[in-house]
Amino acid sequence: MADDVITIDDLIRKVLSYSHDADIELLRKAYIFSSEAHIRQTRIEGSPYIEHPLAVAAILADMRMDTTTLAAALLHDTVEDSSATVKDIKTLFGNDVAFLVNALTKLSKMEFMTKEEAQAENFRKMLLAMAEDVRVILIKFADRLHNMKTLEHLPESKRKRIAAETLDIYAPIVNRLGIGWLKTEFEDLSFKFLLPELYNEITRKIAKRKEEQEGYLREVVEEVQKKLKEENITGKVSSRVKHSYGIYQKMQKQQITFEQVHDVLGIRIITDSKASCYTIMGIIHSLWTPVPGRFKDYIGVAKSNMYQSLHTTVIGPKGERVEFQIRTEEMNRVAEDGIASHWRYKEKGAFNEKDSRYISWLRELIQSQKEFADAKDFLEEVKGAVVPDVVYVFTPKGDIKDLPVGSTPVDLAYSIHTQIGHRCVGAKVSGKIVPLRYQLKNGDTVEIITSQAHGPSRDWLKFVVTQRAKSRIKQWIKAEERTQSVELGIRLLEAELKKHNMSNAMMKSDEVLEVAKALGVNSLEELFVSVGFGKISPQQVVNKLLPEKPVEEIVSKHAKPPAEQKGISIKGIDDILYHTAKCCFPVPGDNLVGFITRGKGVTIHNKKCHNLERLAIDDARLVEVEWKQEGETTYPARLLVEAVDKPGILANLSALVSSVNVNIRHLEASSTPDKTAHIGFILEVKDKKQLTALIQKIASVDGILRVKR
Ligand code: MN
């Protein structure tokens, strides 16, 4: 690294090259302050710490940033690492520099977090900092770039963590902000440290391919140049190499080998006007045959990060495919510098963020983060927002929207507004009604049809692709299920109270609240929800209000709700989501009936289950079901045993159950004053046959009074 060490004089030379009247004194002062602050510190490899802020400032000077940014870069670690304060910096360097250093100090803590939640939190912080002043994030990026370049000095675990974070968070933001060169650097450096062997292999193969095809590409370049000259069109023609991580991604995505990647090498033509771009493309297509489907016009419709270029692939002179990118000087600058171009040093020192789509993207993102309850969902949204494969569609008003490939009218509706998503009932594409699961195509004009009386359906989750739509639908369903569960819970409890000749007025009583607390829920509403969802049975609640507590209650309270399983069918519909009811614990072989719950699939009951009476209040929700027993799967079943209370009875019963290879999931026993033992089992059985055989065995044991399910 020693050769790359930047001195303050190097930095000043760089700055003067693009800004003759730059405030060099400010930079010298910042350098001296920073050197003193870091005087006792070294980088991990042993070099003086000041090399790091100098390197960071140099990266920013290469991006032609203003001296305020560069001074802040020189000072970015001083408050974090020394006794210097933001106040000192304000006094010495003014408000702007102090503001930037302060923001960076706050951000610096984020590098030490690992969990996804924390990562999402970091992301929020970055966005907020960025919204205040984009220069904060540009310095942060430069800081990360220098750290990535010197990552080899860190222990492996730390290296991998930082590289993963760079790939997951920094690269997508940089891509979205349009800083092409930095995205490439972040991706390749991360790739190098995360998958070193693969990185080396791909880099080696790229070099080899370059060597092999050098002559061939030169031939193509010369031919294009000659033709442009004939037609009197300006154009700089050069060959380019796709970056390693880009190739790796392509191999992964298309499941192909390096040898099958056609556009490792390509040609870029930079010309003077938009019109020339199209003319040049025409010339190339007349020289060689274009590959169908490979022509992309990002000039007509720019990518969401403002990238503009024409792309086309042709069958070159020797039958090899060659990819061309054609763009203007200005488009090339946007492709490389993105948002940074707006922050470049300008003669009058004024920055132009007017008309910057990056800024409006940022604002939208920050707005949307307020709506996300879950930080993880938010991170997914952001990652989702940077998926490069997009389709462009038009609203009836002619506004253009970009959405990930595979998006449906529902995705579009949610991207316009949450309420439009919720109320969406249909869509028209070019005047024709399409299904909601229709996959949008480039250029579609899409009209969303809404209805006030409508809400999203769980089915939508099967076809929407944007995170935004997914999380909004889930939120809605959650809220809706809750409302319906409260209603259902109240109705079920009322019915149970009535059965015991108790008044509905009980429902809101303190006693019920006590019962709720005893059952582990904190409010009446929670209790109703739990009953409505079937987490707590109404009998459990009402039994607690009654003087005595039969064994059924004890057992069902302790039985964990069985996990969701598959393998039953309803009128021939396979693989629906179901639970077995924990009031009757049906097993294959029983006569069954299904109860459609709100949002939690179907609960399977034994036809004899006494709860069905109550559930039948909503006849429409009862369905015929058929159980297809599968292999060795076991199901929970309940047995209630009454026995003469004598020593050893419990041990005998357990041994008997185990001897027939049945697992006991739960066991609970109590005895009454008249010396009767009540024993409740939750067992895991294969089917009714096995259970019946076991019941007979238990019944024949000495001292057993009664066995029932
Ligand atoms: Mn730093």
Side-chain angles (χ1 to χ4, degrees), residues 403-417:
L403 293 162
V405 165
S407 289
T408 63
V410 178
D411 291 291
L412 174 66
Y414 277 103
S415 84
I416 298 168
H417 196 281

Side-chain angles (χ1 to χ4, degrees), residues 270-460:
I270 296 179
T271 184
D272 54 357
S273 71
K274 208 195 258 188
S276 302
C277 291
Y278 290 99
T279 313
I280 293 172
M281 192 195 61
I283 290 171
I284 287 158
H285 285 178
S286 70
L287 283 171
W288 301 289
T289 310
V291 178
R294 290 303 309 263
F295 167 60
K296 287 180 191 117
D297 182 357
Y298 296 120
I299 293 179
V301 185
K303 283 194 187 186
S304 48
N305 64 4
M306 291 174 78
Y307 175 90
Q308 284 189 299
S309 192
L310 295 179
H311 292 186
T312 187
T313 302
V314 298
I315 311 285
K318 285 187 184 140
E320 292 266 0
R321 288 172 177 225
V322 187
E323 194 202 49
F324 283 86
Q325 296 180 347
I326 308 157
R327 56 178 79 148
T328 64
E329 200 78 63
E330 169 67 15
M331 290 171 194
N332 194 45
R333 194 174 60 79
V334 170
E336 288 300 307
D337 295 346
I339 197 169
S341 63
H342 293 264
W343 285 95
R344 273 187 168 185
Y345 182 87
K346 304 256 166 42
E347 283 308 309
K348 282 170 196 150
F351 295 106
N352 168 29
E353 54 170 274
K354 214 175 44 182
D355 297 331
S356 167
R357 266 177 70 186
Y358 306 115
I359 303 287
S360 61
W361 171 73
L362 261 177
R363 298 235 162 88
E364 258 174 50
L365 205 56
I366 287 157
Q367 191 52 44
S368 75
Q369 73 122 357
K370 287 182 195 147
E371 296 172 27
F372 279 92
D374 188 345
K376 248 173 73 189
D377 278 354
F378 174 61
L379 192 62
E380 281 308 311
E381 156 100 9
V382 174
K383 285 186 188 168
V386 296
V387 170
D389 292 326
V390 293
V391 291
Y392 297 94
V393 297
F394 297 93
T395 66
K397 284 182 194 158
D399 289 338
I400 192 158
K401 284 269 172 189
D402 56 312
L403 293 162
V405 165
S407 289
T408 63
V410 178
D411 291 291
L412 174 66
Y414 277 103
S415 84
I416 298 168
H417 196 281
T418 303
Q419 286 309 317
I420 295 185
H422 287 346
R423 304 287 166 234
C424 161
V425 287
K428 281 184 185 175
V429 168
S430 314
K432 275 190 189 149
I433 300 256
V434 294
L436 284 177
R437 59 172 65 237
Y438 169 84
Q439 294 201 347
L440 299 170
K441 294 190 187 66
N442 262 328
D444 278 351
T445 297
V446 190
E447 183 189 341
I448 302 291
I449 305 163
T450 58
S451 155
Q452 280 308 315
H454 208 266
S457 139
R458 183 170 283 270
D459 280 349
W460 291 4

